[in-house]
Amino acid sequence: MKEENNVINQEKYIEKIRELNNGKNLKYSILTMGCQLNENDSEKLCGMLEKMGYTRTEDVQEADINLFNTCCVRENAEDKLFGKLGELKRIKEKKGTIIAIGGCMMQEKHITDKIKESYPFVDIIFGTHTLYKFPEDLFTAMEEKRKIEDVLDIDGEIHEGLPIKRNSDIKASVTIMNGCNNFCTYCIVPYVRGRERSRSPRAIIEEVKELAKKGYKEITLLGQNVNSYLRVEKEKNIEFEEYEGVNSFATLLHALNKVDGIERIRFVSPHPKDFTDDVIDAIATCEKVCKLVHLPLQSGNTRVLKEMNRKYTKEQYLELVEKMKKTIPNLTLSTDIIVGFPGESDEEFEDTLDVVRKVKFEQVYMFIYSRRVGTPGDRMPNQIPEDVKHKRFNKLKELVESQIEENNQKYVGTIQKVLVEGTSKTNENMLTGRTDSNKVVIFEGDKSLINKIINLKIVSEHMWYLKGNLLNKECD
Ligand code: SAH
Ligand code: SF4
Ligand code: F3S
């Protein structure tokens, strides 16, 4: 009840700002860095701002509020924010724009200290646990004309019922849990997002049913560790209401598979250590659950994995892949890999290449290890020199690209079910969509096909996309 009251309380601030803004036609810009969870948070910030009477603009010069939703998982995100802030200073001086920065990076004290010292023109700083309070923070900043810092260092609660303005009318993200308890030694996320806590089955199922009613075809379930959904609650005897038989990630997949209108279900990111058999069976048997599974590897070497605190070995990862391939027809896999973790030797890096060669991922998201203040990895003595990290990165990239080319060839001549998402960004006369395995397909067709799942014959491959031809037949 307390959480609900918190959100209702924010409605009052939304209304107050709406009254202040009445007739002014004010605009906001928002820049989101980071993962899909952050994108989903930004959709909520957009929902709040639009309810307050602001409309979105992509032009920071034109905006009355400039908002950043930040990420701190790797160093380059910080460079990007500080670069942008320099640019905004001039606009602020000219126009008196409100500048608000939120998200993961604001949970880091050394960063908020730097902002306050070097960028004192920033009006509002808010963290991941106080996002729901943005209307109140904005109102206070406007009314009292003072700087606001609203960052909580505790585990925030889950706030249901926030307004939301989604980026797409076809695909929607649904956050099912917040936080992470895994503490991989390279990763900052557990420190900035707090401990794992799951949304209630009822809230998730109702959100998905509502999305289906609005015509959404695809949902992506989000969390830092989706396949441990409700695990902490069960371990700690935290009461939760079972709804439509949902008491785990697998049962959630089964329940959502029954929602009429939703055609595709994706999820990111699961952790290999929590990939239980019931989840594998659910992917295999639920026809709407896409057969592309993101299975973060991080490293293919058992010693490095141990240092990373990943809790699986190279062999266990490969066994899991084999089991999944056996159980799930047409399975494809994507993954995340970090190169240059402290202490990683050339031979150990070869193990990563070995796993990549063996598994033949559909897609590999590759990262150069980035030291994060406050993580155990940052304190490890044997940091890898930048040039070695880059050499390894390039070697991995070369392997991955050669595999993509080879893999794409397999699509040519096949018929694929494609969810049509819109017109191609590069060619107005072409449509674009995605296969179950999330490959982009470009094809010629009528705009009435948008938001439908259709059969396409793949005629050629072009590294990052496929070309298809219509069969003039919609799927059942
Ligand atoms: N919870 C998810 C994703 C976390 S962040 C998971 O466990 O898979 C997304 C990816 O960023 C990670 O999978 C990892 O590959 C990468 N990453 C995280 N911290 C990093 C760091 N310090 N340096 C480089 N890459 C990092
Ligand atoms: Fe970071 Fe590991 Fe948690 Fe993923 S599982 S968010 S990599 S600590
Ligand atoms: Fe970045 Fe925060 Fe996501 S650190 S990756 S935006 S959870």
Side-chain angles (χ1 to χ4, degrees):
M1 266 328 272
K2 199 174 121 235
E3 292 141 41
E4 269 172 47
N5 286 342
N6 285 339
V7 174
I8 292 167
N9 207 19
Q10 294 307 311
E11 290 286 340
K12 290 183 200 147
Y13 290 102
I14 290 180
E15 202 39 53
K16 283 183 190 181
I17 298 178
R18 199 178 170 83
E19 277 165 25
L20 284 178
N21 287 351
N22 198 9
K24 289 191 190 150
N25 189 22
L26 298 180
K27 297 204 164 61
Y28 73 97
S29 80
I30 184 163
L31 178 71
T32 309
M33 302 160 184
C35 62
Q36 294 183 60
L37 280 155
N38 239 24
E39 286 286 350
N40 194 220
D41 281 348
S42 284
E43 291 182 326
K44 291 171 192 159
L45 288 165
C46 293
M48 295 178 202
L49 282 158
E50 304 224 344
K51 236 178 154 180
M52 294 173 201
Y54 292 92
T55 48
R56 185 167 178 169
T57 173
E58 300 307 319
D59 179 3
V60 286
Q61 310 260 2
E62 193 193 34
D64 301 282
I65 298 186
N66 283 301
L67 194 64
F68 289 101
N69 195 7
T70 60
C71 167
C72 52
V73 81
R74 284 171 297 273
E75 208 165 6
N76 47 12
E78 282 152 33
D79 301 341
K80 199 169 162 188
L81 172 71
F82 293 126
K84 273 274 165 209
L85 280 178
E87 183 189 321
L88 277 185
K89 185 168 185 251
R90 291 186 292 280
I91 304 173
K92 170 106 189 168
E93 280 162 2
K94 252 201 277 171
K95 198 178 161 181
T97 325
I98 293 175
I99 298 177
I101 317 182
C104 295
M105 214 191 281
M106 297 307 107
Q107 294 293 138
E108 295 185 292
K109 195 173 173 301
H110 69 280
I111 297 282
T112 51
D113 285 347
K114 179 167 172 182
I115 291 176
K116 284 184 283 182
E117 202 187 302
S118 309
Y119 306 88
F121 54 88
V122 170
D123 298 283
I124 304 170
I125 292 174
F126 62 103
T128 54
H129 307 302
T130 45
L131 177 129
Y132 77 99
K133 268 179 77 198
F134 181 67
E136 184 178 343
D137 291 337
L138 178 59
F139 181 77
T140 316
M142 287 163 94
E143 274 291 283
E144 298 178 16
K145 305 221 168 355
R146 65 176 171 92
K147 309 280 176 218
I148 306 288
E149 186 179 2
D150 191 4
V151 180
L152 277 181
D153 197 18
I154 53 145
D155 298 331
E157 291 155 348
I158 288 184
H159 299 281
E160 298 292 351
L162 297 176
I164 187 157
K165 172 85 172 59
R166 294 183 183 274
N167 293 333
S168 154
D169 300 328
I170 298 168
K171 306 197 288 186
S173 297
V174 178
T175 299
I176 64 165
M177 64 186 314
N178 291 336
C180 181
N181 287 0
N182 289 328
F183 290 94
C184 303
T185 52
Y186 50 81
C187 185
I188 193 75
V189 171
Y191 305 90
V192 295
R193 286 270 176 176
R195 294 296 65 71
E196 273 180 37
R197 53 222 178 268
S198 297
R199 281 179 75 196
S200 75
R202 181 193 287 270
I204 297 168
I205 293 172
E206 281 178 0
E207 182 176 346
V208 173
K209 284 184 178 165
E210 203 49 47
L211 287 166
K213 258 195 231 154
K214 288 185 178 144
Y216 283 87
K217 292 287 183 334
E218 180 176 307
I219 53 161
T220 302
L221 307 177
L222 301 180
Q224 291 298 354
N225 194 4
V226 278
N227 52 349
S228 77
Y229 174 67
L230 288 178
R231 191 192 55 195
V232 170
E233 283 72 9
K234 282 188 259 180
E235 277 172 8
K236 294 197 171 160
N237 285 323
I238 299 170
E239 228 176 281
F240 66 90
E241 180 203 6
E242 259 189 48
Y243 187 68
E244 299 194 358
V246 176
N247 57 15
S248 64
F249 185 59
T251 47
L252 180 66
L253 289 179
H254 283 289
L256 296 178
N257 194 54
K258 293 193 195 110
V259 177
D260 280 339
I262 297 297
E263 309 268 1
R264 279 183 174 175
I265 303 168
R266 302 186 188 276
F267 55 88
V268 276
S269 283
H271 195 299
K273 78 174 165 57
D274 296 314
F275 231 111
T276 44
D277 288 350
D278 58 344
V279 176
I280 300 178
D281 285 341
I283 301 168
T285 52
C286 295
E287 71 286 357
K288 294 177 183 175
V289 175
C290 291
K291 307 309 175 215
L292 167 73
V293 175
H294 185 66
L295 195 64
L297 169 68
Q298 312 301 359
S299 163
N301 176 267
T302 297
R303 191 199 67 83
V304 175
L305 284 167
K306 190 157 194 300
E307 288 293 302
M308 287 178 160
N309 194 27
R310 290 292 289 177
K311 301 194 170 77
Y312 51 85
T313 62
K314 175 185 182 184
E315 288 69 32
Q316 282 166 336
Y317 185 91
L318 288 171
E319 277 161 25
L320 176 62
V321 168
E322 274 319 300
K323 183 156 59 161
M324 289 169 74
K325 281 186 175 167
K326 260 192 219 141
T327 322
I328 306 167
N330 301 320
L331 177 81
T332 56
L333 290 161
S334 61
T335 200
D336 288 352
I337 291 175
I338 299 175
V339 303
F341 182 77
E344 181 191 64
S345 67
D346 280 336
E347 295 74 52
E348 288 169 339
F349 171 64
E350 286 298 322
D351 273 332
T352 299
L353 298 177
D354 185 46
V355 175
V356 171
R357 268 186 218 109
K358 287 195 166 109
V359 179
K360 297 199 166 63
F361 295 102
E362 190 73 25
Q363 196 163 3
V364 181
Y365 300 90
M366 297 167 274
F367 305 106
I368 291 176
Y369 172 71
S370 168
R371 294 174 79 160
R372 302 289 71 203
V373 175
T375 61
D378 186 43
R379 296 189 289 272
M380 290 180 183
N382 35 11
Q383 302 289 328
I384 306 293
E386 287 304 313
D387 61 326
V388 177
K389 288 197 235 177
H390 279 91
K391 254 188 222 147
R392 287 185 194 158
F393 182 85
N394 290 337
K395 209 167 164 187
L396 175 63
K397 188 163 169 265
E398 222 170 85
L399 171 64
V400 166
E401 285 178 359
S402 72
Q403 283 189 327
I404 290 178
E405 249 183 291
E406 195 187 311
N407 187 44
N408 279 353
Q409 286 297 342
K410 288 198 199 124
Y411 283 91
V412 179
T414 65
I415 291 168
Q416 297 285 325
K417 281 186 179 175
V418 170
L419 173 59
V420 186
E421 292 177 2
T423 48
S424 158
K425 276 193 193 121
T426 46
N427 184 346
E428 266 286 298
N429 301 321
M430 302 286 273
L431 294 177
T432 173
R434 280 178 192 263
T435 63
D436 179 290
S437 59
N438 216 26
K439 276 251 174 270
V440 174
V441 187
I442 312 278
F443 65 102
E444 238 174 88
D446 191 83
K447 288 195 174 113
S448 62
L449 293 174
I450 293 171
N451 203 12
K452 293 203 166 108
I453 293 193
I454 58 165
N455 278 326
L456 286 179
K457 177 148 191 185
I458 306 304
V459 290
S460 58
E461 65 88 16
H462 305 262
M463 196 72 185
W464 304 116
Y465 67 95
L466 306 170
K467 259 195 183 155
N469 276 347
L470 273 176
L471 296 177
N472 287 328
K473 185 180 172 298
E474 251 178 63
C475 301
D476 310 326

